[in-house]
Amino acid sequence: MENLFRYLTDKEFAYLERTFEVKEYKDGDVVIEEGTPGKEMYYITEGKAKIITEKVGEELLLAELEEGSFFGEINLFSDIQRTATVKASGGLQVYIITREWFLNLINKKPKIAANILRAILEVISRRIAKTNETMETYYILSRALSGEDE
């Protein structure tokens, strides 16, 4: 479960919900473009999003995210360029969480910020573990296809 707000009480979430910027996208709209700068992340309140990257002129689907998931979290904490493109898949509605908003939350409501950060870190940890498994599989396949194990 990716729900960013799972460790918050209803009262804490209601407090936050009043502060979010909400944005809607139509099917195929680009929400984030790979290689561009950013200082915000997105929480899906309705709909789905596709996470893609383009390699050698072809789109590679990295993930499909649904309501309750989030993306763009790398740029909440760092100034590296976006690592993938995100497109709306059907209609999409998101909360936009900016770095400035989150830093302000840390100062005003540190317990709430800590619980959101905990949820983000749990999801990032699972994503890294899954990526490691995938890389291991590709490595084994690559060695087998190249004949290095013979």
Side-chain angles (χ1 to χ4, degrees), residues 128-141:
I128 290 170
K130 184 178 177 183
T131 299
N132 288 347
E133 285 179 24
T134 301
M135 293 302 296
E136 223 174 86
T137 301
Y138 285 133
Y139 175 75
I140 291 167
L141 286 171

Side-chain angles (χ1 to χ4, degrees), residues 24-75:
E24 295 184 3
Y25 298 89
K26 295 182 294 232
D27 185 40
D29 284 354
V30 173
V31 182
I32 289 176
E33 189 169 347
E34 184 173 4
T36 62
K39 292 184 186 285
E40 65 279 323
M41 65 177 281
Y42 301 79
Y43 175 81
I44 301 174
T45 59
E46 291 179 25
K48 297 180 182 181
K50 290 183 180 184
I51 315 300
I52 57 174
T53 188
E54 192 171 309
K55 300 295 178 207
V56 205
E58 290 189 34
E59 277 190 2
L60 173 64
L61 179 64
L62 301 174
E64 291 183 277
L65 302 177
E66 297 180 348
E67 184 177 323
S69 296
F70 59 86
F71 56 90
E73 69 280 355
I74 291 172
N75 292 103

Side-chain angles (χ1 to χ4, degrees), residues 102-115:
F102 193 73
L103 292 173
N104 189 40
L105 184 65
I106 289 171
N107 290 323
K108 288 184 174 182
K109 300 281 187 179
K111 180 181 172 253
I112 294 175
N115 281 324

Side-chain angles (χ1 to χ4, degrees), residues 9 16 27 37 45 57 86-87 121 150:
T9 66
L16 291 183
D27 185 40
T45 59
V86 179
K87 291 183 179 179
L121 291 173
E150 296 177 9

